[in-house]
Amino acid sequence: MTDLNILGISGSLRTGSLNTALLRAAQKHAPAGVTIELYDGLAELPYYNGDLDTEENLPEQARELRERIHAADGLLIATPEYNYSIPGGLKNAIDWASRPSATSSLLHRPVAIMGAAPTNFGTVRAQLALRQVFVWTRSDLVVKPEVMVFRAHERFDEAGNLVDEGTITLVTELVDALAAKIRNATK
């Protein structure tokens, strides 16, 4: 069985982000043969501008993002919820990654979504909005299990380690489902 490389993208720019901690938990609990690398360039990406989206003008940060997604077997995205939707920085990264649409790094790319928030509803609305975006990019989305970590501050310790067994199980099942989707796509 071939090893899989998944690129993890946190939609949060915060240093102590629970969504980044959720990705680190996915790294820790990933099954054998699955590596999750974290993308840390979200803050450096310029705002998407079609005038810059040419071979001559493409910002290096956008080129690197596209190359890293192309090189990955799949994506694991952890998103917070801001104003009932996804953070602008994450949407910006998707805009850069989705161009040009005919050869987009997101085209048919297996993608799994999860999210953590301190509220009672977790990231339900943000994930719904993100799922709609991935319909347009024609990405291959994992639909179950849904990992919407509510009251997330209660599920991590002070060091940012996920300690809630139920959440660990859900994250593990999501990574397993993403790995299965990737392997099925390459048969």
Side-chain angles (χ1 to χ4, degrees):
M1 191 179 302
T2 307
D3 285 354
L4 301 179
N5 180 29
I6 294 171
L7 183 62
I9 300 176
S10 174
S12 177
L13 300 177
R14 290 184 53 243
T15 303
S17 165
L18 293 174
N19 284 282
T20 304
L22 195 58
L23 284 172
R24 284 194 305 272
Q27 282 180 310
K28 178 179 178 181
H29 299 287
V34 175
T35 301
I36 301 173
E37 296 179 18
L38 299 187
Y39 172 72
D40 62 359
L42 199 66
E44 288 77 39
L45 272 174
Y47 292 122
Y48 181 79
N49 178 339
D51 291 341
L52 298 177
D53 197 359
T54 66
E55 192 57 39
E56 305 81 37
N57 297 325
L58 188 65
E60 184 55 36
Q61 301 92 333
R63 184 180 320 278
E64 179 197 355
L65 173 64
R66 289 175 180 174
E67 288 172 356
R68 289 198 59 194
I69 293 172
H70 271 297
D73 296 305
L75 290 179
L76 177 60
I77 297 176
T79 184
E81 181 169 304
Y82 296 164
N83 299 317
Y84 282 21
S85 194
I86 59 176
L90 179 57
K91 177 63 167 67
N92 184 53
I94 293 168
D95 290 345
W96 278 113
S98 68
R99 307 291 194 280
S101 61
T103 59
S104 161
S105 61
L106 296 174
L107 185 64
H108 306 298
R109 179 81 44 210
V111 177
I113 301 169
M114 60 183 179
T119 64
N120 287 327
F121 292 104
T123 57
V124 172
R125 292 168 288 247
Q127 289 192 42
L128 181 60
L130 196 51
R131 288 173 192 278
Q132 289 175 324
V133 171
F134 285 124
V135 168
W136 174 254
T137 63
R138 295 187 293 165
S139 301
D140 191 7
L141 200 60
V142 173
V143 294
K144 295 283 183 181
E146 293 178 312
V147 180
M148 299 172 193
V149 184
F150 64 95
R151 299 183 60 82
H153 58 287
E154 297 174 357
R155 302 180 196 292
F156 292 86
D157 65 16
E158 277 77 32
N161 298 303
L162 183 60
V163 294
D164 181 73
E165 289 300 323
T167 305
I168 290 170
T169 298
L170 279 173
V171 169
T172 302
E173 289 173 357
L174 182 65
V175 174
D176 286 342
L178 178 57
K181 184 172 281 291
I182 293 166
R183 287 191 172 107
N184 286 337
T186 58
K187 284 185 178 177

